[in-house]
Amino acid sequence: MEYTILILLLPFVSFLVLGLAGMKMRPVVAGAVGTAVLAVVALLSWWTAFEYFSAGRDAAGVFPTVIPWNTVWLPIGGALHIDLGVLLDPISVMMLVVISTVSLMVHIYSLGYMKGERGFQRYYAFLALFTMSMMGLVVATNIFQMYLFWELVGVSSYLLIGFYYTKKEAVAASKKAFIVTRFADLGFLIGILIYGYYAGTFSFTPEAHALVAAGTMIPLALGLMFVGGAGKSAMFPLHIWLPDAMEGPTPVSALIHAATMVVAGVYLVARMFPLFIGYAPEVLHWTAYIGAFTALYAAVVACVQSDIKRVLAFSTISQIGFMIVALGVCTSADPHTGGLGYMASMFHLFTHAMFKALLFLGAGCIIHAVHSNEMSAMGGLRRYMPLTHATFLVACLAIAGIWPLSGFFSKDEILTACFAFSPVMGWTMTAIAGLTAFYMFRLYYGIFWGTENRELHAAHTPHEAPLTMTLPLVFLAAVTCVAGFIPFGEFVSADGAAYAIHIDTGVAAVSLCVAAAAIALATWMYARDRQPVADKLAATFSGLHRAAYRRFYIDEVYQFISHRVIFACISTPIAWFDRHVVDGFMNLLARGANGAAWLIRDMQSGSVQRYCIWFLGGALGLTVLILLIC
Amino acid sequence: MIKMEYYLVVSTIMMFVGIYGFVTRRNLLAMLISVELILNSVDINFVVFNRFLFPEQLEGFFFTLFAIGISAAETAVAIAIIINIYRNIRNIDAKSLREMKW
């Protein structure tokens, strides 16, 4: 399966071609090239998945880990070396399919959405770069390769958030995203170095005795790695960059900030799962608590946001919280006794990528139609955009967890895993799932029903999006409808053995009832033209409402710490020292050299006769000297 | 009998007159004439040393003839340069040749 390296190389070549020669091409050609390359990559990924899973299980009953391509990139000394290569196992193959599919859909969608934008070619170049980096991340053969590509996706995310670089908010958001994730990646890097030092390797399968000998250092390393994952996956309190990242173009939000890059943290924990379970189960449970809190926080904030992309962003944070929780509640690697969460998390990652990309692309169509992100500009859009409406509804039902859409199945597995861990966790997550259904339907009614902004719609009648934009919507909606019936446990499970998914009827009934009740509540509150209940609630609890709208002032806390504490008390003195002492010394040297040059520059007069005098004087002096010595 | 030292005094005077002229003259042609004076003083030295110290040999004479030929060629080149300078800046004053600085 050596051809899998092409999955990385083709987008990279596409990036180089579009990046270097793109501005010479016409936008249509550049878009077609980028999309065609991605189509080939998607076909290759699907073929890889087909070939990998149809090759069957080995004697131990698990899908073997295949490394079709590997090379030592940087020998460090001793046994330690950094490799670059391609590693195929069930989760990396699953991720390849997810990334290439969503990326292809976004490429097609952007042909319509970004039409006529300045820098269209640059946009496609960055998309290709991102796809390459993300693919490289998931097929990494070792933790260090993962880190390299981890940073590359960070860069491409930065470039794409700041795509509208003339817009001040976009520039600020891209810087924020880059700095926050970089800060978290510091933890990741330290974790990797500790891990490499004690385990003696960067690979995912170290020698057991080295890990046992390392004692508490391995849990520390894994915890630090999770800090990096939390930054990328927007876990509380490192989530602040993701809502702002919505300043980027909407298809980018769908691809990077909903479906693929932000689940990199989940993927990291899943990749290190055997080590977490074997050597640091308590760290794993801590991730579950962080994930649960994040899910709750983001769900509450999502209930009051008015910008539809912000609602979706917080919904993404909340759903990633679900995935982290599912991984964190695992107590063993056997899916029958406490290891179900691993499969549930990966399953949810898969289904969430599809329906969240669908939600974002649908939101893109809506923004395209009304030229605003605010819900106040919408309302009643179902009459103007029937196709977007239908697909958006499918996605909302899926994320709310309604049978038979894909979200129901994956969320049910997560809840089952949570109940197996502890009833408190189970009920908490069920309640958050109810909140999810509530805020998603608040969003849905706010866009498609509710109070219509007739004035705006009369001035500029909203229209259905072009075919290039609706086609991906239909495709993703179809996937969302059927993905739940994929026997996911057959392919991915904590110990690699086949696991037959069975619906826990008790959990399923409870979660369905909660979701239905939440949807009914949202319908009652938001579906009609006037919303007295919602307005009254907002007025009664105005303090809480405002706090939630301002995201509980977490950004302000960061602002305070970074500006008042770090900048004022640490950075300013350091800057003074740098400017006056370090730079001052260098300036002194430069000024000294300059002054000396001024002193001797008269010697270079250009007058031949003066040179001649110097020459004769020198010759005479030498003669006298020689005579004196001899 | 004229002693060797007399010749040497003449050539030394010629030599320093030449150096003085080279350093103080402003005109490139005058500087060229000064250089010729220096050269000729050296030629006299060669001839004198050959004549008084090694009368049975001829190297000094031949070297002098050789030097006269060389200096003639060199003068031709120098005058060509000076003509070119004049064509460029309409002047053959050494002080106005500051361009050589850079």
Side-chain angles (χ1 to χ4, degrees):
Chain A
M1 296 170 84
E2 283 75 20
Y3 60 84
T4 45
I5 192 69
L6 284 177
I7 297 176
L8 294 186
L9 288 181
L10 282 178
F12 185 62
V13 170
S14 160
F15 162 65
L16 286 184
V17 169
L18 290 177
L20 294 175
M23 294 321 266
K24 302 267 192 299
M25 299 179 189
R26 284 172 51 217
V28 183
V29 179
V33 169
T35 312
V37 170
L38 230 289
V40 174
V41 170
L43 284 177
L44 277 175
S45 302
W46 293 336
W47 176 250
T48 308
F50 176 74
E51 201 180 329
Y52 180 78
F53 285 121
S54 61
R57 294 161 181 281
D58 62 11
V62 300
F63 286 107
T65 298
V66 184
I67 300 184
W69 202 84
N70 195 26
T71 175
V72 176
W73 177 64
L74 186 66
I76 293 179
L80 212 53
H81 50 83
I82 299 171
D83 294 358
L84 285 184
V86 175
L87 177 144
L88 298 179
D89 71 349
I91 55 171
S92 72
V93 171
M94 185 273 290
M95 287 299 283
L96 281 185
V97 172
V98 170
I99 296 162
S100 61
T101 309
V102 176
S103 186
L104 177 61
M105 289 305 127
V106 165
H107 272 77
I108 296 172
Y109 183 89
S110 301
L111 290 175
Y113 187 85
M114 299 298 286
K115 194 171 183 181
E117 291 278 356
R118 201 165 150 265
F120 188 83
Q121 301 93 328
R122 181 164 56 93
Y123 174 82
Y124 270 90
F126 290 163
L127 276 190
L129 174 67
F130 171 76
T131 309
M132 187 278 290
S133 326
M134 194 66 209
M135 299 283 200
L137 194 160
V138 298
V139 299
T141 56
N142 59 80
I143 189 80
F144 215 100
Q145 183 188 352
M146 203 165 171
Y147 179 70
L148 295 181
F149 284 94
W150 186 276
E151 294 300 343
L152 271 178
V153 291
V155 168
S156 23
S157 158
Y158 165 79
L159 292 170
L160 282 165
I161 296 171
F163 179 74
Y164 299 119
Y165 58 84
T166 49
K167 216 168 110 192
K168 229 173 91 191
E169 297 84 17
V171 174
S174 63
K175 276 200 310 207
K176 188 172 177 181
F178 194 69
I179 292 170
V180 172
T181 51
R182 269 301 335 197
F183 178 70
D185 291 347
L186 187 64
F188 190 11
L189 181 61
I190 297 171
I192 289 174
L193 295 179
I194 295 176
Y195 174 79
Y197 181 76
Y198 283 98
T201 171
F202 288 121
S203 83
F204 299 120
T205 49
E207 303 285 337
H209 61 83
L211 296 186
V212 173
T216 58
M217 296 313 278
I218 291 299
L220 177 68
L222 290 172
L224 284 169
M225 284 182 202
F226 176 71
V227 171
K232 210 53 121 195
S233 285
M235 289 291 105
F236 188 88
L238 295 168
H239 66 280
I240 53 161
W241 64 273
L242 186 56
D244 287 15
M246 298 300 137
E247 292 294 342
T250 309
V252 167
S253 307
L255 175 62
I256 301 184
H257 306 117
T260 55
M261 187 189 81
V262 288
V263 296
V266 181
Y267 182 78
L268 173 68
V269 178
R271 180 49 88 201
M272 307 307 281
F273 185 75
L275 298 177
F276 270 110
I277 277 293
Y279 302 94
E282 67 281 12
V283 176
L284 195 59
H285 299 329
W286 268 108
T287 68
Y289 300 133
I290 294 171
F293 181 75
T294 308
L296 176 63
Y297 163 83
V300 171
V301 173
C303 286
V304 297
Q305 296 296 312
S306 61
D307 179 328
I308 61 171
K309 282 183 75 181
R310 295 282 149 99
V311 176
L312 292 177
F314 279 105
S315 146
T316 306
I317 297 175
S318 181
Q319 296 300 309
I320 297 166
F322 269 89
M323 298 173 207
I324 292 281
V325 167
L327 282 171
V329 295
C330 288
T331 49
S332 81
D334 182 358
H336 298 283
T337 55
L340 175 64
Y342 179 87
M343 190 282 290
S345 174
M346 289 296 110
F347 195 14
H348 198 56
L349 193 163
F350 179 78
T351 58
H352 173 259
M354 299 301 166
F355 60 66
K356 189 48 71 67
L358 172 55
L359 282 170
F360 265 105
L361 295 184
C365 288
I366 294 155
I367 294 166
H368 196 68
V370 302
H371 303 292
S372 168
N373 285 7
E374 290 296 320
M375 260 196 253
S376 56
M378 299 163 192
L381 287 179
R382 69 185 183 286
R383 283 194 293 278
Y384 305 105
M385 312 173 73
L387 198 58
T388 310
H389 170 232
T391 51
F392 205 86
L393 179 60
V394 166
C396 282
L397 288 171
I399 195 171
I402 300 296
W403 192 86
L405 299 163
S406 60
F408 167 77
F409 296 91
S410 53
K411 198 168 274 182
D412 180 71
E413 294 301 314
I414 291 181
L415 293 179
T416 310
C418 290
F419 274 111
F421 180 67
S422 78
V424 177
M425 187 62 102
W427 286 110
T428 312
M429 296 319 283
T430 310
I432 300 172
L435 265 179
T436 309
F438 176 75
Y439 68 70
M440 284 317 296
F441 273 84
R442 169 180 172 270
L443 175 70
Y444 165 74
Y445 287 123
I447 295 171
F448 293 105
W449 302 68
T451 324
E452 183 176 349
N453 191 335
R454 292 207 169 73
E455 208 174 311
L456 191 75
H457 295 175
H460 175 90
T461 313
H463 53 88
E464 187 58 275
L467 187 66
T468 45
M469 288 165 72
T470 48
L471 202 67
L473 292 185
V474 173
F475 177 84
L476 288 171
V479 172
T480 303
C481 289
V482 299
F485 297 100
I486 295 173
F488 204 77
E490 295 290 330
F491 303 121
V492 177
S493 70
D495 59 357
Y499 173 78
I501 292 179
H502 47 81
I503 302 296
D504 186 326
T505 38
V507 173
V510 168
S511 75
L512 265 180
C513 286
V514 169
I519 293 173
L521 184 65
T523 312
W524 181 61
M525 280 172 69
Y526 294 107
R528 279 166 294 179
D529 199 20
R530 293 185 180 284
Q531 296 153 2
V533 184
D535 295 343
K536 190 148 175 283
L537 275 177
T540 316
F541 300 103
S542 63
L544 183 66
H545 184 268
R546 198 179 313 117
Y549 186 74
R550 303 294 301 274
R551 313 165 198 172
F552 293 106
Y553 304 108
I554 302 292
D555 286 54
E556 280 76 6
V557 170
Y558 269 97
Q559 188 82 7
F560 179 79
I561 292 176
S562 60
H563 282 72
R564 292 289 161 75
V565 180
I566 297 178
F567 288 3
C569 301
I570 301 172
S571 307
T572 312
I574 291 178
W576 184 90
F577 183 82
D578 179 55
R579 201 155 298 147
H580 291 94
V581 179
V582 178
D583 284 9
F585 179 66
M586 290 301 155
N587 284 344
L588 187 72
L589 287 185
R591 208 163 291 158
N594 203 11
W598 272 97
L599 283 179
I600 60 171
R601 88 195 274 271
D602 278 350
M603 289 167 69
Q604 298 286 329
S605 61
S607 153
V608 187
Q609 288 161 322
R610 194 163 299 167
Y611 293 166
C612 184
I613 292 174
W614 281 105
F615 167 71
L616 284 173
L620 208 62
L622 277 177
T623 314
V624 172
L625 200 68
I626 289 167
L627 286 176
L628 283 178
I629 290 169
C630 300
Chain B
M1 177 68 192
I2 302 167
K3 285 204 272 185
M4 189 177 83
E5 283 76 7
Y6 297 171
Y7 290 98
L8 291 183
V9 167
V10 171
S11 83
T12 309
I13 290 171
M14 270 175 74
M15 167 95 179
F16 281 95
V17 166
I19 289 172
Y20 177 78
F22 185 79
V23 173
T24 55
R25 291 290 103 179
R26 296 280 170 257
N27 194 305
L28 282 180
L29 281 174
M31 286 168 71
L32 182 62
I33 292 167
S34 308
V35 171
E36 290 301 318
L37 273 177
I38 299 171
L39 266 170
N40 286 345
S41 75
V42 175
D43 289 350
I44 290 172
N45 274 10
F46 272 121
V47 173
V48 168
F49 287 139
N50 190 232
R51 165 81 171 72
F52 287 95
L53 300 183
F54 308 102
E56 68 281 7
Q57 287 170 343
L58 285 173
E59 276 94 338
F61 297 122
F62 281 109
F63 212 92
T64 303
L65 287 173
F66 197 63
I68 289 169
I70 292 286
S71 73
E74 171 235 296
T75 308
V77 172
I79 288 179
I81 291 173
I82 291 168
I83 290 171
N84 268 312
I85 288 172
Y86 181 75
R87 280 184 180 166
N88 277 310
I89 62 173
R90 297 272 141 198
N91 195 347
I92 49 170
D93 193 334
K95 272 203 166 170
S96 50
L97 289 181
R98 292 298 171 91
E99 299 288 321
M100 284 173 76
K101 238 187 330 195
W102 30 70

